Amino acid sequence: MQEQDLNLAYRFVNAQMRYLIEANELFTSLFELTLYEKNNLQFDDENTRKFTDIQIQLAELFDGFSGTYLPKANLDSKPLFLNMVPLNVQKIAKQLRLNIHPINLYTGFQRDGFLELPFKDPFSFKEDILPLSLFGKITGGNQAEIVLDHNASTLDNVYAGMQLVITSGSGAHQKALIVSYDGITKVALLNPALERVNHTSTYLIESQFKNEHIFSLDGSQSCPIAHHIFGADNYRTDLLNPYMPTFKPLTQEEANLRQEQKISEIDLSVYTEAENLARRKLHIFDCEFGNLLTKENVSRMFQQISLCLDQLKILILSQKNLISAMQTALPKEILNAEYQLF
């Protein structure tokens, strides 16, 4: 094993720990604000402002507003976008018989509540990002060539081979394959052509790669499942799960539709507006519901933030055990005092 790889592996897991500890501190602050509002049944403007400020800090820490900018969490000035595990760190862990997992701490914190996830390993020094799943609204075009909205990628053919689903509005529930995509004009060529779609139609582009498949370095290998800790959203279940996640409908309408259409339990897409709304209400970073402005929002945020803190405790304990195991397994010269932080 190369000494530089050993060194990187040890610093990487320590960086992950700093990442989790800072997240825990910020979520604790959110919890205290929410608990105060819950107990006092008041809606203090100052507390609401503090709540929003902490949400922004969390978004910047994790993924820089969903991949738009570089996050604050980094190692050697290289962003830990989804805490993906670099291939050389994975190899070291395997040789040392250590269990290193990526920890997915994305927020999906944008004005519309949707997200764009980075696809490449941050240690590959590549800045291109690929939305794994992307919501949007049709802004123009025709039945066979539609214009995606401003959230769509500027990379040519980045969505080629992916499926587009009309989720609401005119022509809802239709599906088509994206044959090609122009990043400048944001025009997607579809097959087959869709019927009745217009500016009221919203879409979901479904990647063949789901969020649990985080690809490393050269894009040819996937890491073990990553964990999402922020409560229910449109993409993942809200509990830590070491196995393949399954979609858990929050509305009977969604449950009935999925059963009628025999939609797989591992299909994490949302197919009804009622389900979309139900999940938005549970999303800590949703602009409309993730706040302390109403009694209902305070109650939901208290429950979801409590869940996040419980899950962070599990992740931090797991990371401490990993660091302890590495300290036992790695040569003493690698355990530089500069990195022995925990």
Side-chain angles (χ1 to χ4, degrees), residues 209-224:
F209 304 112
K210 295 299 183 183
N211 289 348
E212 67 270 12
H213 297 298
I214 310 300
F215 279 65
S216 293
L217 209 58
D218 60 358
S220 64
Q221 297 189 33
S222 62
C223 296

Side-chain angles (χ1 to χ4, degrees), residues 148-334:
L148 307 185
D149 66 18
H150 66 282
N151 286 321
S153 176
T154 58
L155 300 176
D156 287 341
N157 288 323
V158 70
Y159 303 119
M162 298 185 187
Q163 187 177 67
L164 181 142
V165 180
I166 302 300
T167 55
S168 67
S170 183
H173 307 308
Q174 295 182 82
K175 297 182 180 182
L177 181 71
I178 299 177
V179 178
S180 63
Y181 174 73
D182 188 308
I184 296 178
T185 63
K186 299 188 185 298
V187 171
L189 176 62
L190 305 178
N191 183 28
L194 300 177
E195 298 178 359
R196 304 182 307 281
V197 292
N198 57 36
H199 67 280
T200 69
S201 308
T202 61
Y203 59 79
L204 167 64
I205 295 176
E206 296 184 294
S207 169
Q208 63 267 43
F209 304 112
K210 295 299 183 183
N211 289 348
E212 67 270 12
H213 297 298
I214 310 300
F215 279 65
S216 293
L217 209 58
D218 60 358
S220 64
Q221 297 189 33
S222 62
C223 296
I225 186 170
H227 298 307
H228 170 43
I229 68 168
F230 298 123
D233 68 3
N234 298 325
Y235 304 95
R236 297 296 301 271
T237 55
D238 60 356
L239 298 174
L240 288 176
N241 187 346
Y243 308 104
M244 177 68 75
T246 58
F247 188 97
K248 297 181 180 179
L250 297 177
T251 67
Q252 191 59 46
E253 176 188 0
E254 183 82 10
N256 292 342
L257 184 144
R258 294 175 72 90
Q259 184 175 15
E260 290 169 3
Q261 299 188 3
K262 297 181 180 180
I263 299 172
S264 169
E265 287 188 352
I266 63 172
D267 182 341
L268 306 181
S269 307
V270 171
Y271 287 89
T272 67
E273 281 301 304
E275 180 71 19
N276 184 27
L277 180 63
R279 291 188 168 260
R280 282 184 57 209
K281 287 182 177 180
L282 293 179
H283 199 299
I284 289 170
F285 293 93
D286 184 87
C287 294
E288 183 177 353
F289 301 103
N291 55 54
L292 306 181
L293 294 176
T294 68
K295 179 180 178 181
E296 291 77 14
N297 284 359
V298 169
S299 178
R300 281 191 295 265
M301 290 302 97
F302 179 81
Q303 180 182 13
Q304 294 301 97
I305 292 168
S306 297
L307 174 62
C308 288
L309 285 170
D310 288 343
Q311 294 176 344
L312 274 169
K313 288 178 183 177
I314 296 171
L315 294 173
I316 289 172
L317 177 60
S318 173
Q319 201 69 7
K320 283 183 177 179
N321 292 336
L322 175 59
I323 289 174
S324 177
M326 291 196 79
Q327 288 173 336
T328 300
L330 293 175
K332 290 184 179 179
E333 58 269 21
I334 299 300

Side-chain angles (χ1 to χ4, degrees), residues 64-173:
F65 296 100
S66 304
T68 306
Y69 308 105
L70 294 182
K72 291 183 177 178
N74 62 77
L75 175 62
D76 294 344
S77 299
K78 292 180 275 289
L80 299 177
F81 268 118
L82 291 179
N83 256 2
M84 290 181 274
V85 181
L87 289 182
N88 49 353
V89 172
Q90 286 180 289
K91 291 175 182 176
I92 294 297
K94 185 176 181 180
Q95 288 173 301
L96 295 175
R97 297 184 179 180
L98 299 176
N99 193 22
I100 296 180
H101 291 285
I103 301 168
N104 186 345
L105 298 180
Y106 74 80
T107 66
F109 185 64
Q110 290 183 344
R111 287 184 182 276
D112 57 5
F114 304 137
L115 70 154
E116 185 171 283
L117 294 175
F119 186 61
K120 296 293 184 180
D121 189 303
F123 285 80
S124 67
F125 299 94
K126 294 183 180 179
E127 296 188 5
D128 291 347
I129 56 177
L130 172 64
L132 294 185
S133 296
L134 185 70
F135 272 98
K137 194 169 186 178
I138 293 177
T139 60
N142 54 49
Q143 313 302 310
E145 295 181 279
I146 64 170
V147 182
L148 307 185
D149 66 18
H150 66 282
N151 286 321
S153 176
T154 58
L155 300 176
D156 287 341
N157 288 323
V158 70
Y159 303 119
M162 298 185 187
Q163 187 177 67
L164 181 142
V165 180
I166 302 300
T167 55
S168 67
S170 183
H173 307 308

